Amino acid sequence: MKELAELCHTVANFMPCPQGFNSAKGLLSDVRDYFPLMIDKIQECVDEGLNLKYSNTSEEVDNETIKKWHSFFIENQEKYCLSMYYQVNENRINGITFFKGQSLSYPCPLEKEEVEECLKNMLDKINERADLILKKYNEEHKSNS
């Protein structure tokens, strides 16, 4: 937990995202602020042509906005070094979950083993992304020299 707290406010744990995305991610009871689950939620809304409805409120995000978010994550996965969080296959996005069995119907780890797996995978993904960002930065600045 201490290591996660230290990494939470690092560049590798922040990412650009479309307007309104982050607040929606934090307000959906089946997403619980997990990025890979939000990816799955976006794909679900695109597949079903649905608006994204916030939990316990009448507010929602229209399907056209959801489609723009979907395109953003397809177009920017490599640019923002996000391949450890979701896959892109044939114009579809699929979240890579933090623990076995994690889904929109089971978003939070409940068993000790699930919590441990979730924390380990969160840390591994942040560190992997940090390495990718640094590698990309070094390659871009080497070619500009």
Side-chain angles (χ1 to χ4, degrees):
M1 292 295 288
K2 184 180 176 184
E3 187 178 356
L4 181 61
E6 290 172 357
L7 292 177
C8 275
H9 294 288
T10 62
V11 169
N13 198 41
F14 287 103
M15 63 194 73
C17 55
Q19 184 175 1
F21 170 85
N22 210 36
S23 58
K25 181 172 65 81
L27 294 173
L28 298 169
S29 61
D30 56 351
V31 171
R32 303 281 174 97
D33 208 26
Y34 286 102
F35 180 57
L37 293 182
M38 186 62 176
I39 291 294
D40 290 345
K41 187 70 171 184
I42 290 168
Q43 187 63 58
E44 178 182 87
C45 289
V46 168
D47 288 346
E48 297 177 14
L50 299 173
N51 293 344
L52 194 150
K53 297 183 181 190
Y54 290 103
S55 306
N56 302 319
T57 179
S58 61
E59 290 185 57
E60 60 184 28
V61 179
D62 65 89
N63 193 257
E64 285 306 308
T65 299
I66 300 300
K67 288 177 183 176
K68 289 176 186 173
W69 293 355
H70 185 266
S71 294
F72 174 90
F73 286 111
I74 288 173
E75 293 165 12
N76 291 294
Q77 182 196 37
E78 188 176 320
K79 178 179 180 179
Y80 296 127
C81 304
L82 298 171
S83 61
M84 67 288 309
Y85 292 103
Y86 62 98
Q87 299 169 329
V88 177
N89 293 309
E90 298 180 15
N91 207 38
R92 296 184 58 77
I93 52 178
N94 181 44
I96 301 170
T97 58
F98 290 112
F99 64 92
K100 185 178 178 184
Q102 187 180 33
S103 67
L104 292 169
S105 61
Y106 189 72
C108 293
L110 299 177
E111 304 296 325
K112 181 182 182 210
E113 294 80 17
E114 292 173 336
V115 171
E116 290 170 348
E117 181 184 1
C118 186
L119 287 171
K120 179 189 180 311
N121 285 327
M122 290 171 87
L123 292 169
D124 288 350
K125 289 174 192 247
I126 293 169
N127 285 313
E128 181 181 352
R129 185 160 182 252
D131 291 342
L132 281 175
I133 290 169
L134 185 59
K135 180 181 176 187
K136 186 174 184 172
Y137 175 84
N138 286 333
E139 288 172 355
E140 288 173 2
H141 284 79
K142 183 186 284 186
S143 64
N144 291 336
S145 300

